[in-house]
Amino acid sequence: GAGVSQSPSNKVTEKGKDVELRCDPISGHTALYWYRQSLGQGLEFLIYFQGNSAPDKSGLPSDRFSAERTGGSVSTLTIQRTQQEDSAVYLCASSPRQGGSYEQYFGPGTRLTVT
Amino acid sequence: AQSVSQHNHHVILSEAASLELGCNYSYGGTVNLFWYVQYPGQHLQLLLKYFSGDPLVKGIKGFEAEFIKSKFSFNLRKPSVQWSDTAEYFCAVKPDSNYQLIWGAGTKLIIKP
Protein backbone atom coordinates (compact mmCIF):
# COMPACT_ATOMS: atom_id res chain seq x y z
CA GLY A 1 0.00 0.00 0.00
CA ALA A 2 0.93 3.66 -0.15
CA GLY A 3 3.46 4.92 2.34
CA VAL A 4 3.71 8.27 4.07
CA SER A 5 3.88 11.10 1.59
CA GLN A 6 5.07 14.66 2.13
CA SER A 7 4.91 17.76 0.04
CA PRO A 8 6.67 19.71 -1.19
CA SER A 9 9.88 17.70 -1.38
CA ASN A 10 11.92 20.89 -1.45
CA LYS A 11 11.05 24.40 -0.39
CA VAL A 12 13.21 27.48 -0.67
CA THR A 13 11.83 30.55 1.03
CA GLU A 14 12.99 33.98 2.04
CA LYS A 15 13.56 34.85 5.65
CA GLY A 16 10.39 36.22 7.19
CA LYS A 17 7.96 34.33 4.93
CA ASP A 18 5.52 31.72 6.17
CA VAL A 19 5.66 28.13 4.91
CA GLU A 20 3.30 25.17 5.08
CA LEU A 21 4.48 21.59 4.92
CA ARG A 22 2.05 18.76 4.32
CA CYS A 23 2.01 15.14 5.45
CA ASP A 24 -0.30 12.34 4.30
CA PRO A 25 0.07 9.42 6.70
CA ILE A 26 -0.58 5.79 5.95
CA SER A 27 -4.30 5.14 5.89
CA GLY A 28 -5.54 3.84 9.22
CA HIS A 29 -2.53 4.98 11.23
CA THR A 30 -3.76 6.84 14.27
CA ALA A 31 -0.48 8.37 15.38
CA LEU A 32 1.41 11.04 13.47
CA TYR A 33 4.73 12.62 14.33
CA TRP A 34 6.70 15.57 12.99
CA TYR A 35 10.48 15.67 13.35
CA ARG A 36 13.22 17.98 12.24
CA GLN A 37 16.57 16.71 11.03
CA SER A 38 19.32 19.27 10.75
CA LEU A 39 22.61 18.56 9.00
CA GLY A 40 24.67 16.18 11.07
CA GLN A 41 22.05 15.96 13.79
CA GLY A 42 19.67 13.27 14.93
CA LEU A 43 15.92 13.52 14.83
CA GLU A 44 14.41 16.36 16.84
CA PHE A 45 10.84 15.67 17.92
CA LEU A 46 8.43 18.50 17.15
CA ILE A 47 4.84 17.41 17.67
CA TYR A 48 2.72 14.27 18.07
CA PHE A 49 -0.93 13.60 17.20
CA GLN A 50 -2.83 10.56 18.45
CA GLY A 51 -6.39 10.07 17.29
CA ASN A 52 -8.68 12.75 18.64
CA SER A 53 -6.53 13.52 21.66
CA ALA A 54 -4.92 16.90 22.18
CA PRO A 55 -1.54 16.95 20.42
CA ASP A 56 1.73 16.90 22.29
CA LYS A 57 3.39 20.12 21.21
CA SER A 58 6.25 19.93 23.67
CA GLY A 59 8.91 19.73 20.97
CA LEU A 60 7.95 22.82 19.01
CA PRO A 61 10.96 25.16 19.24
CA SER A 62 9.02 28.42 19.25
CA ASP A 63 5.54 29.86 18.85
CA ARG A 64 6.32 30.43 15.18
CA PHE A 65 5.74 26.71 14.70
CA SER A 66 2.28 25.17 14.69
CA ALA A 67 0.65 22.08 13.30
CA GLU A 68 -2.78 20.69 12.79
CA ARG A 69 -4.25 17.41 11.74
CA THR A 70 -7.59 17.49 10.01
CA GLY A 71 -10.01 14.59 10.24
CA GLY A 72 -7.42 12.42 11.89
CA SER A 73 -5.49 12.12 8.64
CA VAL A 74 -3.58 14.82 6.77
CA SER A 75 -1.35 17.09 8.82
CA THR A 76 0.10 20.50 8.07
CA LEU A 77 3.13 21.99 9.79
CA THR A 78 3.26 25.77 9.55
CA ILE A 79 6.30 27.89 10.22
CA GLN A 80 5.65 31.60 10.44
CA ARG A 81 8.24 34.32 9.86
CA THR A 82 10.88 31.76 8.89
CA GLN A 83 14.43 32.20 10.11
CA GLN A 84 17.65 30.80 8.66
CA GLU A 85 17.99 28.42 11.60
CA ASP A 86 14.72 26.80 10.48
CA SER A 87 16.56 25.33 7.49
CA ALA A 88 16.40 21.55 7.88
CA VAL A 89 14.66 18.45 6.62
CA TYR A 90 11.21 18.11 8.15
CA LEU A 91 10.12 14.50 8.50
CA CYS A 92 6.68 13.11 9.11
CA ALA A 93 6.03 9.62 10.45
CA SER A 94 2.90 7.67 11.19
CA SER A 95 2.32 4.69 13.42
CA PRO A 96 -0.53 2.21 13.77
CA ARG A 97 -0.34 2.21 17.56
CA GLN A 98 -2.15 -1.13 17.47
CA GLY A 99 -1.14 -4.33 19.19
CA GLY A 100 1.52 -2.47 21.08
CA SER A 101 3.34 -1.56 17.89
CA TYR A 102 5.04 1.79 18.06
CA GLU A 103 6.95 1.28 14.86
CA GLN A 104 7.06 4.50 12.89
CA TYR A 105 6.88 4.75 9.13
CA PHE A 106 8.60 7.76 7.66
CA GLY A 107 7.92 9.94 4.68
CA PRO A 108 10.64 11.24 2.38
CA GLY A 109 10.78 14.59 4.14
CA THR A 110 10.61 18.20 3.04
CA ARG A 111 13.94 19.97 2.69
CA LEU A 112 13.40 23.57 3.78
CA THR A 113 15.97 26.20 2.92
CA VAL A 114 15.53 29.70 4.29
CA THR A 115 17.61 32.29 2.47
CA ALA B 1 16.34 12.59 31.39
CA GLN B 2 15.85 9.69 29.02
CA SER B 3 18.48 9.60 26.33
CA VAL B 4 20.01 7.37 23.68
CA SER B 5 23.71 7.41 22.96
CA GLN B 6 25.36 6.24 19.77
CA HIS B 7 29.04 6.36 20.46
CA ASN B 8 30.40 6.49 16.95
CA HIS B 9 29.29 9.32 14.70
CA HIS B 10 31.30 8.09 11.72
CA VAL B 11 32.52 4.60 10.91
CA ILE B 12 34.55 3.65 7.86
CA LEU B 13 35.05 -0.02 6.99
CA SER B 14 36.20 -2.08 4.06
CA GLU B 15 33.89 -4.56 2.40
CA ALA B 16 33.68 -7.91 4.18
CA ALA B 17 34.68 -6.39 7.51
CA SER B 18 32.52 -7.08 10.54
CA LEU B 19 30.37 -4.30 11.93
CA GLU B 20 29.21 -3.39 15.39
CA LEU B 21 27.48 -0.09 16.10
CA GLY B 22 26.90 0.79 19.72
CA CYS B 23 23.65 2.02 21.23
CA ASN B 24 23.09 2.68 24.92
CA TYR B 25 20.08 4.19 26.58
CA SER B 26 19.26 5.64 29.95
CA TYR B 27 16.00 4.29 31.34
CA GLY B 28 15.48 1.69 34.01
CA GLY B 29 12.09 0.37 32.97
CA THR B 30 10.75 -1.71 30.12
CA VAL B 31 11.70 -0.60 26.63
CA ASN B 32 11.02 -1.32 23.00
CA LEU B 33 14.12 -0.93 20.85
CA PHE B 34 14.59 -0.06 17.20
CA TRP B 35 17.29 0.39 14.60
CA TYR B 36 16.44 2.49 11.58
CA VAL B 37 18.54 3.02 8.48
CA GLN B 38 18.63 5.88 6.00
CA TYR B 39 20.33 5.05 2.71
CA PRO B 40 21.57 8.02 0.68
CA GLY B 41 18.62 9.87 -0.79
CA GLN B 42 16.05 7.51 0.72
CA HIS B 43 13.51 7.47 3.56
CA LEU B 44 14.28 6.33 7.04
CA GLN B 45 13.23 2.70 7.23
CA LEU B 46 13.07 0.11 9.96
CA LEU B 47 15.98 -2.31 10.08
CA LEU B 48 14.91 -4.35 13.10
CA LYS B 49 13.06 -4.09 16.39
CA TYR B 50 12.89 -5.69 19.80
CA PHE B 51 9.68 -5.87 21.80
CA SER B 52 10.10 -8.94 24.00
CA GLY B 53 11.38 -12.52 23.99
CA ASP B 54 14.68 -13.56 22.45
CA PRO B 55 17.11 -10.69 23.02
CA LEU B 56 18.92 -11.51 19.78
CA VAL B 57 16.90 -9.96 17.01
CA LYS B 58 17.44 -10.53 13.32
CA GLY B 59 16.51 -7.90 10.78
CA ILE B 60 16.73 -7.30 7.08
CA LYS B 61 19.88 -7.56 4.97
CA GLY B 62 21.75 -9.77 7.43
CA PHE B 63 21.69 -7.32 10.33
CA GLU B 64 21.11 -8.39 13.90
CA ALA B 65 21.06 -6.70 17.27
CA GLU B 66 21.35 -7.96 20.81
CA PHE B 67 19.49 -6.46 23.73
CA ILE B 68 21.56 -6.67 26.91
CA LYS B 69 19.32 -5.34 29.65
CA SER B 70 22.03 -5.23 32.29
CA LYS B 71 24.12 -2.99 30.06
CA PHE B 72 21.21 -0.91 28.72
CA SER B 73 22.53 -1.66 25.27
CA PHE B 74 21.17 -2.67 21.89
CA ASN B 75 24.17 -2.93 19.59
CA LEU B 76 23.76 -3.52 15.88
CA ARG B 77 25.94 -6.13 14.17
CA LYS B 78 26.64 -7.56 10.77
CA PRO B 79 29.32 -10.20 10.19
CA SER B 80 30.34 -9.03 6.71
CA VAL B 81 29.39 -5.63 5.36
CA GLN B 82 28.83 -4.70 1.74
CA TRP B 83 29.31 -1.43 -0.11
CA SER B 84 25.50 -1.12 -0.26
CA ASP B 85 25.38 -0.89 3.54
CA THR B 86 26.70 2.66 3.29
CA ALA B 87 24.03 4.64 5.12
CA GLU B 88 23.20 6.43 8.33
CA TYR B 89 21.97 4.24 11.18
CA PHE B 90 19.76 5.45 14.01
CA CYS B 91 18.98 3.71 17.27
CA ALA B 92 15.66 4.54 18.94
CA VAL B 93 14.13 3.53 22.25
CA LYS B 94 10.53 3.64 23.42
CA PRO B 95 10.30 3.63 27.20
CA ASP B 96 7.12 2.12 28.61
CA SER B 97 6.44 5.47 30.29
CA ASN B 98 6.33 7.34 27.01
CA TYR B 99 4.62 7.02 23.66
CA GLN B 100 7.50 8.69 21.86
CA LEU B 101 10.66 7.20 20.49
CA ILE B 102 13.85 8.67 21.92
CA TRP B 103 16.41 8.88 19.14
CA GLY B 104 20.17 8.60 19.03
CA ALA B 105 22.17 11.10 16.97
CA GLY B 106 22.94 8.52 14.29
CA THR B 107 26.07 6.84 12.96
CA LYS B 108 27.23 7.46 9.41
CA LEU B 109 28.66 4.24 8.00
CA ILE B 110 30.86 4.33 4.91
CA ILE B 111 31.91 1.08 3.28
CA LYS B 112 34.92 1.28 1.01
CA PRO B 113 34.63 -1.01 -2.03
Side-chain angles (χ1 to χ4, degrees):
Chain A
V4 177
S5 61
Q6 292 185 245
S7 61
S9 56
N10 279 285
K11 177 73 177 177
V12 180
T13 190
E14 292 180 354
K15 179 181 171 181
K17 301 281 191 186
D18 298 352
V19 294
E20 281 190 355
L21 312 180
R22 177 188 167 105
C23 172
D24 281 90
I26 293 172
S27 177
H29 281 194
T30 58
L32 187 147
Y33 302 79
W34 282 98
Y35 294 93
R36 181 166 68 177
Q37 187 177 24
S38 302
L39 193 62
Q41 304 293 316
L43 274 68
E44 177 188 3
F45 166 76
L46 297 177
I47 189 168
Y48 161 74
F49 295 90
Q50 171 56 37
N52 295 320
S53 303
D56 176 354
K57 304 179 183 180
S58 61
L60 295 178
S62 78
D63 58 8
R64 296 186 295 106
F65 288 72
S66 62
E68 60 179 25
R69 188 179 185 191
T70 53
S73 181
V74 171
S75 177
T76 303
L77 176 69
T78 301
I79 309 173
Q80 295 178 309
R81 304 180 303 282
T82 51
Q83 303 294 312
Q84 287 186 328
E85 61 262 28
D86 299 334
S87 296
V89 176
Y90 289 81
L91 295 172
C92 175
S94 68
S95 177
R97 289 289 310 276
Q98 293 170 354
S101 172
Y102 292 88
E103 179 178 334
Q104 296 182 13
Y105 296 79
F106 284 83
T110 294
R111 183 175 297 278
L112 175 66
T113 303
V114 181
T115 61
Chain B
Q2 298 159 353
S3 65
V4 176
S5 176
Q6 292 183 242
H7 315 294
N8 305 102
H9 295 297
H10 292 89
V11 173
I12 301 174
L13 294 173
S14 298
E15 275 193 304
S18 65
L19 169 71
E20 182 160 3
L21 301 182
C23 173
N24 286 87
Y25 63 92
S26 62
Y27 180 69
T30 301
V31 292
N32 298 150
L33 300 157
F34 304 84
W35 275 97
Y36 280 80
V37 61
Q38 189 170 28
Y39 297 104
Q42 294 189 27
H43 305 191
L44 266 167
Q45 56 186 281
L46 184 70
L47 199 55
L48 49 77
K49 62 186 177 185
Y50 170 82
F51 278 15
S52 63
D54 188 345
L56 184 61
V57 178
K58 297 200 183 294
I60 60 172
K61 304 188 180 185
F63 285 90
E64 65 179 31
E66 185 174 13
F67 172 42
I68 302 179
K69 190 173 181 180
S70 61
K71 295 185 177 180
F72 303 93
S73 71
F74 190 55
N75 291 356
L76 181 70
R77 302 194 293 245
K78 185 170 183 178
S80 177
V81 293
Q82 301 172 309
W83 177 78
S84 58
D85 294 325
T86 294
E88 189 160 15
Y89 293 81
F90 293 90
C91 179
V93 176
K94 196 203 88 60
D96 62 356
S97 63
N98 198 338
Y99 47 72
Q100 293 180 29
L101 298 189
I102 313 299
W103 292 83
T107 297
K108 282 191 169 67
L109 174 66
I110 296 173
I111 306 300
K112 298 184 294 183

